[in-house]
Amino acid sequence: MEFNVKKLASDAGVFFSRAMQFTEEKLGQAEKTELDAHFENLLARADCTKNWTEKILRQTEVLLQPNPSARVEEFLYEKLDRKVPSRVTNGELLAQYMTEAANDFGPGTPYGKTLIKVGETQRRLGAAEREFIHSASINFLTPLRNFLEGDWRTISKERRILQNRRLDLDACKARLKKAKAAEAKAACEGDAVPDFQETRPRNYVLSASASALWSDEVEKAEHELRLTQTEFDRQAEVTRLLLEGISSTHVNHLRCLHEFVESQTNYYAQCYQFMLDLQKQLGRFSGTFVGNADSTSPAAAPSSPAVAAATLPAVPTIPVVPTIVGVPNTVAEGVLNPNEVKPPASGTRKARVLYDYEAADSTELALLADEMITVYSLPGMDPDWLIGERGNQKGKVPVTYLELLS
């Protein structure tokens, strides 16, 4: 118990000394040990990294999960070290509603069939969104959180220790300065000629004694200053090494940023391809890809995108970006004549149709769910398409609508 009381009193004394030194520095009544310019630059860079990392982390969380209550729920589960429950994405929920509506309206009606097609696309969009969120959370958000909750906490702790070491150092410097001033004053008083007419030259004796006491105080203050200076230098070196590690943090975050961009690119490319497929199913695509869906013969189809734009109704369409993987090659497919295609000697397969598919033009083959057709590929053909045959009918069919059989 006695040890604890002494330690408590000692800690209180140290705290009081630091508080006094800090207050006097703020009031301009005490000198402050300044860090070198390189160290100050490291501190400023670390603070800048911490502030912007927090902002980027929070806004990325908003991007991936716009619902504030859902973000709070995920935060609580994370702090409780429990698994976050699986949450249905908005696209998947919309797909569920569309499918249920189609069943009520009648899956064989035009509206019901369209609801099913759009719902299936929404489900695929929702699944792609889920995969993107999972990938971004692991490859981008987690490293940012690890820095703020790990490395930055360590840096902050060492900076607080360095601040305390500096306050102790400056307090020792102040005590030494006062002790030297008092010693000099006592020495001056001791150098005065004593009045030996007195029976006891008290002033002389007291001055000599005070000078000796202050000399001991100066030696003690110098010893404490050397120890404090050593501790301050050691802590400054530890803190400097941690601050220099911010450069490695930037390199790691740069790599994570590239992975985030790659995941986002793949996600939007998937969404783009899904919407292209949906527009082709609905027969509402521009003449850049397909001809007029109402044409009865190839001769009636527009011969150029400009003519197609003039004959089709003004329907917003997604522009064709040929650099995205998986988008059909429109030039090569536009000149394909199914009647001139000869099946290869080997390589034909049977396929079961998964969904109904309406042919967008005369080069494609309309499909009915659950029917069996023969399919094969041609050299140079887009991998997302095959040539399908049903009796005497022949045309291109999308691979995503088929279940290939051995």
Side-chain angles (χ1 to χ4, degrees), residues 54 62 89 99 137-138 165 198 267 289 297 333 358 394:
E54 284 182 336
V62 172
T89 63
T99 303
S137 298
I138 294 178
R165 295 286 184 266
E198 295 184 11
Y267 167 62
F289 267 77
S297 65
E333 293 180 4
E358 297 178 5
K394 185 185 303 183

Side-chain angles (χ1 to χ4, degrees), residues 369-380:
D370 295 327
E371 70 171 329
M372 302 293 293
I373 62 173
T374 301
V375 295
Y376 52 87
S377 179
L378 297 177

